[in-house]
């Protein structure tokens, strides 16, 4: 399989604090990589680098074989990497379809002036959501009326709108109930079947082993495990994270 | 939403419950700035005099805002009042609105607002006469001898007129000399300006002056406080000014204050004279020329000193 | 809706959306009953003219607040621009030049506010209070505290005093500004990006929206609205003073807050602001026609502001203290 994303010796230091001490990682097309680790292991930092929110102090990131120096989240997005943050993804009081198209709205020209093409956006938003086969009220409803799982779907629909090849999800199931968590995991499964590469950051080991094809464990800024999720149990993963049982 | 709606309904009830059918003469009163004591005194006197005649009086406050001032005049013109009184109004700026009022046959009488071709008359005091009163009183008090300090303000027609009359009076009394004068620069921050200026002058000429002339009471209060701090006693220096409010009278009564006399402008009288003129012209249809020959109806001022100072809350008229 | 529960919910929703509009309608009916003059065309046009300044300034404030920033400088900037226009006309500048300078002053202060807020990270509450003070200082420096009064050229006065086919030109200016602003916010990408910046700044930035530029744009438009109001105000009153617009600060904000109770409840919105300004205009005019004294009007307005602030406090807090960023 072609490597979609390659990290080579990526390091990140905030002054004297080394958050990442040379992490190398290869993600292949269509993989669902679970990124695990305790608080302070370096997960969030790694996510920020992949999302373009920060630039590494060492090492390199390649996207589809080419060096990717993401200048900003916008840059990363336009190159095909969409990151879905836990709380910051949506504008709750705005309608669903505007959230799906946030920052990449469709327009049509009237007398040479570009106006929002709301009809087209509503239609397309419905299609994206239908592709995720998730129930949704009218796309004109504000996001604030949606459940946590539905909100994740809206955020994923936005990533689809950007034709993202890689979707990074930061704690998508945090603060969700059992049923809602199930829905989000189903969504990730759908993305996987559609051939989208997913990097899933989660505290919840049950969730990770349920959907990931591969698991990467970080500890103190280093990669300490990188293995197939096949047959991996949540308990075993837990031991890997705390370092009780190194493979 | 629902709260606002409820409020509107409550207000509806209140307004409808009011006697909407008052058939008397309808008078609108606009004060430019009710938070200014003088404006409020005129406007309240107009309201009282109007109500005493059984008129339907609407009292408005422009809060010192020109656009509001204009809008209120527009609203009164629309409301079908018979007459409008402006207290310290801005007749030049309101030219268009006053023309509209005149076109609708509404009588407009103003108080201390300047004259306008669209108004009947302006009730005012004669600043020259008032200035002469305070100047001659000061000199008389000093037995036409000695030295004075002056606190002037040239940025206003009235205070400038008072100053000019003072100069005329002084020019005929060579035994009284002007030691020094502080000229207030502008209305903004005038208190600090007067305080700094007069502190310097009273220090520089300590013990060498027998009289102080201030172009309005607000300045005199500041000078009074400065002198009291320096331990100057009542009678040592004659402090004379002009305007005459309750604060002025309180200081004249106060044995510790230096305030000697003030030419009191009868704002209450001006208000009631405005209503009298309104009644004569707009209600009784007396020709305006029979009330006053020119555009200004002059009201006399009252010099108040220890001999005639009114009791607390009372007026000398 | 066949089931009564559903109908109740629809009614509640309608009341939430249009309660304030309904209250306005009630006011109109009450005033029509209390004064014969109220519903006359001349009086209705009179109200429409009177609310024009409030509405245009309010629309500017609405755009700033939509981007989650407060613009407390609009009234003083308006006064300064008015003084500049009046002063330049008095010394013989051509009308177009003086008007251009007035608009430019408004826009420049707005831009400065934007730069202070986005580049120097000064909270807009502080930044715009500071620029308001600077504008006030300059206005007093230019005039020495004295107003330019009267005698401005007729063609200039016509900018605010003329009528087109019986419609006062002030009303047309206002309608134009409201329409443009609403079209901008509701149907263009930059307009929507401005709203998204205010609604969810972090999300908008992560979605690639240039949130800082949007905030600068919002504050610049608020400044421009102040400049335009200054031109119209100067022409309307044929005078310009360093405090000519100060009274619009509280009322302008009140109109916007009132507007946030309707159309798009909880959010600053242009049609809502128009409703808010109309509410204030109708209230003031109607109470005057009904013979209510000024203190009743002040109390009434205060109560209505309190009511609306209670309903729209969250957006204000966010703009004032940067909560939720």
């Amino acid at each position: 399989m072609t490597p979609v994303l390659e990290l080579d010796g990526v390091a990140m230091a905030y002054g004297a604090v080394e958050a990442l001490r040379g992490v190398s990682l290869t993600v292949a097309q269509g993989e669902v990589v679970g990124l695990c680790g305790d608080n302070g292991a370096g997960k969030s930092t790694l996510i920020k680098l992949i999302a373009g929110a920060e630039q590494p102090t060492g090492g390199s990131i390649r996207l589809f074989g080419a060096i990717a120096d993401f200048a900003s989240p916008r840059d990363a997005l336009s190159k095909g990497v969409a990151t879905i943050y836990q709380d910051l993804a949506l504008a709750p009081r705005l309608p669903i379809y505007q959230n799906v198209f946030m920052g990449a709205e469709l327009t049509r020209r009237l007398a040479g002036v570009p106006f929002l093409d709301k009809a087209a956006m509503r239609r397309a938003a419905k299609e994206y959501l239908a592709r995720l086969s998730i129930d949704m009220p009218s796309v004109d409803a504000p996001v604030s009326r949606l459940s946590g799982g539905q909100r994740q779907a809206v955020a994923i629909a936005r990533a689809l709108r950007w034709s993202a090849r890689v979707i990074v999800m930061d704690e998508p199931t945090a603060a969700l109930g059992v049923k809602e968590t199930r829905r989000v995991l189903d969504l990730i499964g759908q993305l996987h079947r559609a051939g989208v590469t997913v990097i899933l950051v989660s505290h919840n080991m049950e969730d990770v082993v349920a959907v990931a094809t591969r698991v990467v464990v970080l500890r103190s800024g280093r990669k300490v495990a990188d293995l197939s999720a096949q047959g991996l149990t949540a308990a075993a993963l837990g031991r890997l994270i705390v370092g009780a049982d190194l493979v | 939403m629902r709260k606002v709606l409820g409020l509107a309904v409550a207000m509806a009830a209140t307004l409808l419950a009011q006697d909407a059918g008052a058939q008397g003469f309808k008078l609108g009163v606009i004060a430019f700035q009710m938070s200014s004591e003088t404006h409020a005194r005129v406007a309240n006197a107009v309201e009282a005099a109007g109500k005493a005649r059984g008129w339907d009086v609407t009292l408005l406050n422009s809060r010192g805002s020109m656009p509001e001032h204009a809008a209120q005049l527009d609203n009164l013109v629309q409301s079908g009042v018979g007459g409008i009184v402006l207290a310290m109004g801005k007749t030049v700026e309101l030219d268009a609105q006053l023309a509209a009022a005149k076109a609708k046959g509404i009588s407009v009488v103003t108080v201390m607002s300047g004259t306008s071709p669209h108004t009947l008359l302006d009730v005012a005091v004669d600043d020259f006469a008032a200035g002469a009163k305070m100047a001659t009183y000061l000199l008389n008090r000093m037995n036409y001898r000695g030295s004075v300090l002056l606190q002037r303000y040239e940025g206003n027609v009235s205070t400038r007129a008072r100053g000019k009359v003072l100069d005329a009076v002084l020019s005929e009394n060579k035994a009284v000399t002007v030691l020094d004068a502080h000229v207030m620069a502008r209305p903004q921050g005038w208190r600090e300006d007067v305080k700094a200026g007069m502190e310097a002058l009273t220090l520089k000429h300590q013990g060498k002056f027998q009289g102080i002339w201030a172009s309005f009471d607000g300045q005199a209060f500041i000078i009074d406080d400065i002198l009291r701090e320096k331990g100057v006693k009542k009678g040592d220096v004659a402090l004379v000014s002009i305007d005459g409010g309750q604060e002025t009278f309180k200081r004249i009564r106060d044995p510790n204050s230096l305030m000697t006399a003030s030419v009191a402008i009868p704002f209450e009288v001006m208000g009631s004279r405005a209503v009298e003129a309104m009644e004569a012209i707009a209600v009784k249809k007396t020709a305006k020329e029979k009330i006053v020959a020119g555009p200004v109806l002059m009201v006399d001022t009252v010099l108040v000193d220890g001999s005639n100072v009114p009791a607390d809350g009372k007026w000398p008229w | 809706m066949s089931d009564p529960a559903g109908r109740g919910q629809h009614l509640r929703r309608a009341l939430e959306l249009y309660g304030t509009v309904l209250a306005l309608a009630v006011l109109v009916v009450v005033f029509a009953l209390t004064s014969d003059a109220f519903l006359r065309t001349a009086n209705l046009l009179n109200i429409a003219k009177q609310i024009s300044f409030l509405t245009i300034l309010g629309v500017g404030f609405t755009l700033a607040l939509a981007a989650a920033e407060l613009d407390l400088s609009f009234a003083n900037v308006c006064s300064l621009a008015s003084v500049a226009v009046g002063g330049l006309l008095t010394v013989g500048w051509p009308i177009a030049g003086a008007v251009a300078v007035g608009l430019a002053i408004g826009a420049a202060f707005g831009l400065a506010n934007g730069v202070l807020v986005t580049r120097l990270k000064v909270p807009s509450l502080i930044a715009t209070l500071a620029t308001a003070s600077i504008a006030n200082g300059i206005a007093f420096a230019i005039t020495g505290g004295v107003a330019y009064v009267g005698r401005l050229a007729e063609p200039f006065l016509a900018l605010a005093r003329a009528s087109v086919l019986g419609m006062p030109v002030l009303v047309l200016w206002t309608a134009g500004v409201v329409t443009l602003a609403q079209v901008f916010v509701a149907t263009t990408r930059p307009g929507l990006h401005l709203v998204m910046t205010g609604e969810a700044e972090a999300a908008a930035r992560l979605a690639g929206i240039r949130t800082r530029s949007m905030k600068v744009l919002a504050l610049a438009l608020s400044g421009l609205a102040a400049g335009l109001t200054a031109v119209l105000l100067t022409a309307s009153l044929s005078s310009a003073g360093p405090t000519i617009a100060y009274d619009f600060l509280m009322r302008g904000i009140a109109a916007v807050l009132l507007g946030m109770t309707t159309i798009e409840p909880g959010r600053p919105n242009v049609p809502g602001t128009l409703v808010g300004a109309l509410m204030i205009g109708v209230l003031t005019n109607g109470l005057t026609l009904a013979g209510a004294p000024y203190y009743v009007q002040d109390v009434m307005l205060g109560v209505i502001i309190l009511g609306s602030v209670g309903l729209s406090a969250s957006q204000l807090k966010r703009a004032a203290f940067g909560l939720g960023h």
Side-chain angles (χ1 to χ4, degrees):
Chain A
M1 280 193 284
T2 34
V4 173
L5 187 69
E6 294 165 274
L7 274 63
D8 185 20
V10 167
M12 185 71 193
Y14 300 96
V17 181
E18 289 182 77
L20 287 178
R21 308 162 190 244
V23 172
S24 297
L25 175 65
T26 304
V27 181
Q29 175 74 47
E31 274 192 299
V32 177
V33 176
L35 190 59
C36 301
D38 260 339
N39 287 332
K43 286 178 312 198
S44 308
T45 306
L46 195 60
I47 292 283
K48 281 181 191 154
L49 300 183
I50 296 173
E54 285 174 1
Q55 285 69 47
T57 48
S60 68
I61 300 177
R62 284 170 181 271
L63 193 65
F64 304 111
I67 286 285
D69 295 321
F70 299 139
S72 65
R74 187 193 177 83
D75 188 26
L77 209 48
S78 64
K79 286 173 178 161
V81 180
T83 304
I84 300 171
Y85 292 92
Q86 191 181 337
D87 307 318
L88 306 174
L90 302 170
R93 295 197 293 187
L94 295 183
I96 293 169
Y97 81 89
Q98 289 186 359
N99 270 283
V100 169
F101 281 90
M102 186 186 279
E105 294 82 4
L106 302 175
T107 56
R108 68 197 159 100
R109 288 182 176 274
L110 268 178
V113 185
F115 287 101
L116 293 172
D117 192 345
K118 294 186 180 180
M121 287 194 280
R122 286 193 180 96
R123 215 179 314 117
K126 271 182 207 153
E127 280 166 23
Y128 290 127
L129 292 167
R131 263 165 64 186
L132 299 169
S133 42
I134 198 149
D135 287 338
M136 209 55 92
S138 148
V139 288
D140 282 304
V143 163
S144 58
R145 287 213 226 138
L146 301 182
S147 69
Q150 288 173 319
R151 289 182 196 204
Q152 285 291 334
V154 172
I156 292 169
R158 185 195 299 158
L160 295 178
R161 150 69 187 140
W162 282 95
S163 314
R165 315 272 291 272
V166 180
I167 297 181
V168 183
M169 300 177 80
D170 183 20
E171 301 284 358
T173 58
L176 292 190
V178 177
K179 207 172 131 200
E180 288 290 309
T181 300
R182 192 64 248 159
R183 270 192 189 191
V184 172
L185 297 181
D186 284 348
L187 281 174
I188 296 171
Q190 296 218 16
L191 291 174
H192 177 53
R193 281 191 292 282
V196 179
T197 308
V198 177
I199 298 174
L200 168 67
V201 179
S202 182
H203 267 98
N204 191 314
M205 289 153 288
E206 302 272 358
D207 293 353
V208 173
V209 297
V211 294
T213 57
R214 196 148 62 88
V215 172
V216 170
V217 178
L218 296 182
R219 197 187 308 135
S220 308
R222 292 184 210 282
K223 186 170 88 173
V224 295
D226 188 340
L227 68 166
S228 167
Q230 198 84 46
L232 188 67
T233 64
L237 180 56
R239 283 196 295 278
L240 280 174
I241 290 170
V242 297
D245 186 7
L246 287 180
V247 175
Chain B
M1 34 197 189
R2 246 181 304 178
K3 273 185 233 170
V4 180
L5 184 65
L7 194 79
V9 172
M11 208 176 73
T14 323
L15 280 176
L16 288 173
Q18 269 186 353
D19 180 15
Q23 287 306 307
F25 183 72
K26 285 180 80 175
L27 178 71
V29 189
I30 304 177
F32 186 64
Q33 175 80 286
M34 279 298 262
S35 62
S36 165
E37 189 198 328
T38 55
H39 296 214
R41 282 169 60 193
V42 171
N44 290 334
V46 171
E47 186 192 30
K51 285 193 169 160
R53 285 164 172 77
W55 295 355
D56 190 353
V57 185
T58 303
L59 176 57
L60 300 176
N61 169 20
S62 305
R63 299 187 305 276
S65 158
M66 260 321 297
E68 188 67 17
H69 203 42
Q72 288 176 338
L73 191 48
D74 273 332
N75 285 343
L76 284 180
V77 168
Q78 293 298 331
S79 77
V81 292
I84 296 172
V85 175
L86 297 183
M88 286 74 166
K90 305 282 181 187
T91 47
V92 180
E93 287 93 328
L94 293 184
D95 198 59
Q97 282 79 5
L98 289 171
K102 191 180 187 185
K104 268 196 115 184
I106 299 170
S107 308
V108 181
V109 170
T110 60
V111 178
M112 292 188 100
S113 308
T115 57
S116 155
H118 312 304
T119 60
L120 290 175
L121 53 88
D122 186 47
V123 181
V125 292
D126 183 343
D127 285 307
F128 295 102
K133 268 187 198 173
M134 65 188 287
T136 49
Y137 178 92
L138 177 63
L139 267 60
N140 197 13
R141 181 87 182 198
M142 293 167 64
N143 201 15
Y144 300 91
R145 280 200 295 267
S147 303
V148 290
L149 290 179
L150 309 182
Q151 172 57 60
R152 310 182 70 124
Y153 177 47
E154 308 294 323
N156 172 289
V157 183
S158 297
T159 53
R160 200 163 55 233
R162 295 161 193 172
K164 282 185 175 161
V165 174
L166 173 73
D167 293 341
V169 172
L170 285 171
S171 69
E172 290 298 323
N173 291 277
K174 299 292 183 195
V176 177
T177 54
V178 177
L179 267 183
D180 227 329
H182 176 247
V183 182
M184 191 179 109
R186 59 179 185 282
Q188 285 68 49
W190 65 270
R191 287 187 172 83
E192 287 71 30
D193 182 19
V194 169
K195 188 163 192 286
M198 287 311 277
E199 246 166 8
L201 291 192
T202 50
L203 199 68
K204 184 177 166 193
H205 303 291
Q206 202 159 15
K208 284 183 256 167
F209 54 90
Q210 292 76 44
I212 299 182
W213 180 96
S215 70
F216 61 91
D217 278 351
Q219 297 174 331
F221 298 161
I222 292 166
I223 298 166
D224 185 18
D225 295 343
I226 293 171
L227 293 178
R228 265 202 265 188
E229 250 175 50
K230 293 194 191 320
V232 182
K233 296 276 175 292
K234 201 169 196 115
D236 293 353
V237 172
L239 175 58
V240 174
S241 169
I242 181 164
D243 273 346
Q246 286 300 326
E247 171 69 15
T248 312
F249 303 151
K250 202 178 103 194
R251 287 180 187 249
I252 292 176
R253 287 192 304 267
D254 182 353
N256 295 317
S257 163
L258 274 295
M259 195 84 198
T260 314
S262 176
V263 175
I265 298 173
F267 294 103
E268 286 77 10
V269 175
M270 296 170 98
S272 54
R273 292 295 290 278
V275 172
E276 282 163 23
M278 179 69 77
E279 183 177 38
I281 299 168
V283 182
K284 296 181 178 159
K285 308 295 174 195
T286 313
K288 184 234 152 194
E289 287 68 28
K290 291 202 172 171
I291 315 286
V292 59
V296 182
L297 180 68
M298 294 292 185
V299 174
D300 222 0
T301 52
V302 179
L303 189 131
V304 175
D305 67 359
S307 68
N308 67 341
V309 65
D312 193 24
K314 298 273 191 277
W315 300 101
W317 38 81
Chain C
M1 278 283 146
S2 51
D3 71 305
R7 198 183 301 155
Q9 205 150 47
H10 273 255
L11 195 67
R12 202 173 317 141
R13 177 89 187 126
L15 206 57
E16 203 173 280
L17 288 178
Y18 302 110
T20 306
V21 179
L22 200 60
L24 179 61
V26 170
L27 277 183
V28 168
V29 171
V30 171
F31 290 138
L33 291 174
T34 50
S35 170
D36 304 335
F38 183 77
L39 281 185
R40 277 186 207 140
T41 314
N43 190 52
L44 296 180
L45 287 178
N46 175 40
I47 296 175
K49 258 182 355 191
Q50 285 174 7
I51 65 162
S52 51
F53 312 114
L54 194 61
T55 308
I56 298 175
L57 289 171
V59 164
F61 189 79
T62 305
L63 294 178
L65 197 59
E69 298 299 343
L70 284 175
D71 181 4
L72 299 182
S73 69
F74 68 82
N76 283 4
V77 168
C78 180
S79 295
L80 169 62
S82 155
V83 160
V85 173
L88 291 175
L89 289 172
T90 307
V91 299
W93 271 48
I95 293 168
V99 168
V101 169
L103 296 177
I105 287 176
F109 265 84
L111 277 176
N113 285 335
V115 169
L116 285 171
V117 168
T118 58
R119 300 286 156 179
L120 303 180
K121 311 285 179 209
V122 184
S124 56
L125 176 75
I126 314 279
T128 58
L129 268 182
T131 51
S133 175
I134 291 169
N136 193 39
I138 298 174
F140 273 105
I142 293 175
T143 58
V146 187
Y148 296 105
V149 176
R151 321 288 176 255
L152 298 177
E154 275 305 325
F156 173 73
L157 300 184
L159 285 174
R161 292 185 177 184
S163 286
V164 178
L165 302 172
M167 185 60 81
V169 72
L170 262 184
V171 178
L172 299 177
W173 279 112
T174 311
V177 168
V178 168
T179 309
L180 265 180
Q182 179 59 10
V183 165
F184 171 68
V185 168
T187 72
T188 71
R189 276 188 83 195
L192 184 57
H193 286 183
L194 190 155
V195 171
M196 285 171 164
T197 299
E199 285 292 317
E201 189 180 350
R205 193 174 48 243
L206 292 170
I209 291 172
R210 299 177 203 284
T211 52
R212 286 199 293 196
S213 307
M214 287 303 125
K215 285 182 180 257
V216 173
L217 176 65
L219 287 163
L221 288 174
S222 180
L224 189 61
L228 176 62
T229 308
V231 171
L232 298 178
L233 195 57
T234 308
S236 169
L237 295 171
S238 186
S239 65
T243 59
I244 196 161
Y246 87 96
D247 197 46
F248 288 125
L249 179 59
M250 201 187 88
R251 280 161 193 248
I253 295 174
V256 175
L257 295 186
L258 261 167
M260 286 171 65
T261 64
T262 189
I263 316 287
E264 293 174 51
R267 288 171 45 195
N269 64 90
V270 173
T273 297
L274 178 61
V275 172
L278 259 173
M279 190 103 171
I280 293 175
V282 163
L283 194 71
T284 314
N285 173 273
L287 284 172
T288 302
L289 262 53
Y294 67 96
Y295 41 85
V296 170
Q297 303 188 11
D298 288 349
V299 169
M300 212 62 104
L301 189 65
V303 170
I304 286 198
I305 291 171
L306 273 182
S308 58
V309 171
L311 293 164
S312 42
S314 65
Q315 182 82 9
L316 207 62
K317 264 190 221 154
R318 194 145 63 149
F321 307 112
L323 298 179
H325 284 179

